[in-house]
């Protein structure tokens, strides 16, 4: 295991200590629990937005806590959910009377704990909590009846849900409206990933799966969940075409639609390659009559040192288009 | 070679096309040459600052072109110098009468071409050009007599030279002062790196060197140049201690000195690990009585998909401390 770490069991604590040291001007923890991470900026009367999830995905999740985006985040150990108590602590800390919105990825462990925190916040603290799930992954969209719970995993596209909801809350919209906007962003974002190499969870010490020297897996999840097709690695343009076709077909698109695009590196893939991907996306979107009004490129939701990338498309209406432009200032993301 | 690319010979062109597509609001090219990259923001009467060097290091070099930092950058193919003609084209484009400062790394190919461009700018165009070299690498500091050319390679610490000089130019200081400040930053920044894995130049198609599954190399350069010690990989704190000791000993430091710190991922090393490094740096600096007033953490100067990181320390005086705070807005870096 070739990692810059000390003892694997100290990984989370030491990583978080480093983050609080580097960004002490902007963030702090609640009740001396390093895993309860909140912004130092409090805006009275603003809807609070909380997220959370396992570590190992930086800048996801805590990297989006800051001005114009989220207010708090509880993080678990690598690829593990934080506890309901930690989420409750965040909820109490960030509520300023206008209620709290939870936005997190569609994973059972997180749902269980966030739901419990939400009930405790309501019954014990009288804090109104609403929830919007990130469930943007095209590869894991199983067959489901209308009204059934989505099988889609939450992956990089949750960035856009944070971005739009965070902007709405910062503009002092009420909880109903911030939730409505978060849900609209969640409903209109789709993501597809491809992995080239596995990653190693420090406490486990070996790769979660193996993949051939010349192979890739389309649709793999950010914890190494199985994708939809494994095959020989192909030229970048061919990979992008396969991914983008499935993303576009998953939502109804019309000519002259506008989108925001996120090209997200999973960890070990150089920025250079991500821009080669941007070039092809733009060609394909132009052919489809879809306009990309904004590109985000870089590492937004990683899987430790996994090589690969994902593409997320957010279909915009006038409201989301304005919210996307809203300024953000977190230690990990600025716009 | 596991990369998201098309033909290796199209790598540079396609990567640059992607960058111009994604950031068309902020940057453009000169004379339709994609390798000549300039900001769209022109500030009349401002000293122009140009850099350049080989590709494969994103966000270095072109990522620091933008408001509050640099004005133009010429890039060569992966790990190759751009041409003198390209540097001249940048120079002519960004000069607005106040002269131009070149800031680039201490590599012979770059020096040869930048010097030629500087002479052409002077003789043919009447543009005054001054030069400051980034030569911050502690590992390559060979024995040299006073006045002799430094053998130190330019690595991630050049970020601080850009940052301070860019702020000075943005505050409309004249060329002599911008150069003085750039030189002061260059004289006071030191960097040390460690590599865990090699990287593959696309046109070459195989790793530039091999290294054991359990080995690291302290002091390795960002093109895979030999370091000062290869050995078994050690716990993060031990690696940091060895690197930081050499950095601190390379400059005279006194109790109560202040520094800005850059922890730079070389490509495949997760942000998590970089924050584990921050934690240890802070402990060691506190012990030495040195105060870190600002941390920069992330990928600032990469070597494609190399795993590893570097630490840079900029020793601050009051002037540099103010300049470090100056706002920046480039497509790749915001502050």
């Amino acid at each position: 295991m070739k990692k810059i770490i000390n003892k694997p069991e100290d990984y989370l604590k030491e990583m978080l200590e480093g983050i609080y040291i580097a960004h002490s001007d902007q963030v702090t923890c609640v009740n001396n629990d390093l895993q309860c991470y909140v912004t130092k900026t409090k805006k009275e009367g603003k809807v609070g937005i909380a997220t959370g999830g396992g570590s190992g995905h930086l800048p996801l999740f805590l990297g989006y806590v800051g001005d114009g985006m989220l207010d708090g985040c509880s993080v678990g150990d690598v690829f593990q959910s934080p506890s309901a108590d930690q989420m409750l602590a965040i909820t109490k800390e960030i509520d300023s009377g206008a209620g709290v919105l939870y936005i997190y990825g569609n994973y059972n462990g997180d749902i269980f704990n966030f739901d419990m925190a939400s009930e405790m916040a309501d019954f014990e603290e009288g804090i109104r909590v609403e929830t919007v799930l990130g469930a943007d992954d095209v590869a894991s969209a199983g067959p489901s009846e209308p009204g059934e719970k989505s099988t889609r995993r939450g992956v990089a596209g949750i960035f856009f849900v944070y971005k739009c909801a965070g902007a709405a809350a910062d503009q002092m919209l009420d909880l109903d409206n911030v939730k409505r906007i978060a849900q609209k962003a969640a409903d209109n974002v789709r993501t597809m990933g491809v992995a080239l190499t596995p990653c190693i969870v420090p406490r486990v010490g070996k790769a979660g799966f193996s993949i051939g020297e010349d192979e890739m897996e389309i649709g793999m999840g950010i914890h190494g969940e199985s994708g939809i097709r494994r095959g020989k690695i192909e030229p970048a343009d061919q990979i992008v075409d396969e991914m983008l076709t499935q993303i576009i077909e998953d939502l109804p698109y019309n000519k002259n639609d506008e989108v925001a695009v996120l090209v997200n590196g999973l960890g070990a893939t150089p920025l250079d390659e991500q821009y080669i991907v941007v070039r092809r996306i733009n060609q394909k979107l132009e052919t489809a009559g879809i306009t990309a009004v904004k590109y985000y490129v870089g590492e937004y939701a990683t899987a430790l040192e996994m090589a690969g990338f994902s593409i997320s498309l957010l279909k915009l209406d006038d409201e989301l288009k304005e919210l996307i432009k809203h300024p953000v200032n977190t230690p990990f993301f600025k716009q």
Side-chain angles (χ1 to χ4, degrees), chain A:
Chain A
M1 181 170 51
K2 229 169 186 181
K3 289 182 182 288
I4 307 291
I5 61 173
N6 295 300
K7 290 185 198 149
E9 56 270 32
D10 295 332
Y11 183 88
L12 179 65
K13 176 180 158 287
E14 294 183 350
M15 180 259 284
L16 290 170
E17 285 178 5
I19 290 175
Y20 289 110
I21 288 166
H23 308 300
S24 58
D25 53 331
Q26 289 183 276
V27 293
T28 187
C29 64
V30 184
N31 303 336
N32 292 316
D33 181 347
L34 297 179
Q35 294 176 239
C36 296
Y37 178 100
V38 292
T39 174
K40 282 187 169 174
T41 315
K42 264 212 159 177
K43 211 166 163 179
E44 276 311 310
K46 190 184 89 67
V47 170
I49 307 182
T51 190
S55 294
H57 303 297
L58 282 180
L60 197 67
F61 295 88
L62 54 76
Y64 302 113
V65 172
D67 300 352
M69 230 160 163
L70 312 179
D71 301 282
C73 174
S74 46
V75 292
D77 210 334
V78 178
F79 298 177
Q80 304 289 326
S81 178
S83 74
D85 284 339
Q86 288 168 329
M87 290 163 187
L88 179 63
I90 294 287
T91 310
K92 287 162 65 177
E93 182 65 26
I94 69 172
D95 177 55
S96 67
V100 170
L101 177 65
Y102 289 168
I103 304 173
Y104 58 95
N106 187 23
Y107 296 95
N108 288 335
D110 292 323
I111 292 172
F112 180 86
N113 288 308
F114 268 102
D115 277 354
M116 193 181 297
S118 154
E119 283 174 28
M120 291 190 288
D122 183 7
F123 294 141
E124 295 169 19
E125 311 291 336
I127 300 171
R128 182 180 158 208
V129 175
E130 296 288 341
T131 294
V132 170
L133 289 182
D136 50 315
D137 181 40
V138 172
S140 50
S144 69
E145 296 298 312
E148 263 184 26
K149 184 179 156 301
S150 173
T151 60
R152 295 174 191 269
R153 293 187 291 262
V155 284
I158 200 169
F159 163 78
F160 284 127
V161 187
Y162 295 154
K163 180 73 197 70
C164 295
D170 201 38
Q171 292 172 0
M172 303 305 281
L173 271 63
D174 65 14
L175 182 53
D176 287 334
N177 274 299
V178 175
K179 182 188 178 183
R180 174 184 61 76
I181 284 162
Q183 192 62 58
K184 180 162 68 174
D187 289 343
N188 284 284
V189 64
R190 292 291 185 277
T191 299
M192 187 79 154
V194 60
L196 306 191
T197 66
C199 61
I200 298 176
V201 174
R203 279 183 195 268
V204 177
K206 57 183 175 59
F209 62 93
S210 64
I211 183 165
E213 266 306 305
D214 58 350
E215 284 185 325
M216 62 173 185
E217 184 160 327
I218 301 258
M220 176 161 275
I222 58 173
H223 311 93
E225 298 95 334
S226 290
I228 50 176
R229 184 175 80 76
R230 185 177 283 207
K232 298 277 179 217
I233 190 164
E234 294 164 0
D237 288 358
Q238 215 169 311
I239 301 171
V240 170
D241 291 357
E242 178 172 348
M243 292 164 71
L244 203 57
T245 300
Q246 299 198 39
I247 292 172
I248 292 178
E249 285 176 356
D250 200 81
L251 266 189
Y253 272 100
N254 298 308
K255 249 197 182 331
N256 302 320
D257 275 347
E258 293 183 315
V259 292
V261 180
L262 169 62
V263 175
N264 167 55
L266 290 179
T269 289
L271 256 184
D272 308 41
E273 299 177 28
Q274 296 172 45
Y275 280 103
I276 290 175
V277 167
V278 166
R279 170 187 168 274
R280 184 60 174 182
I281 292 173
N282 206 60
Q283 288 177 347
K284 294 290 287 182
L285 290 179
E286 279 186 359
T287 306
I290 298 168
T291 305
V293 299
K294 172 96 182 151
Y295 278 95
Y296 296 90
V297 190
E299 293 180 356
Y300 284 77
T302 61
L304 296 168
E305 70 279 10
M306 190 182 280
F309 70 97
S310 63
I311 302 171
S312 303
L313 253 57
L314 173 68
K315 190 174 165 177
L316 298 168
D317 63 7
D318 290 344
E319 186 177 44
L320 296 182
K321 194 174 166 186
E322 278 308 306
L323 293 166
I324 281 288
K325 293 180 195 162
H326 192 78
V328 175
N329 182 10
T330 91
F332 293 78
F333 175 68
K334 293 174 189 8
Q335 171 181 319

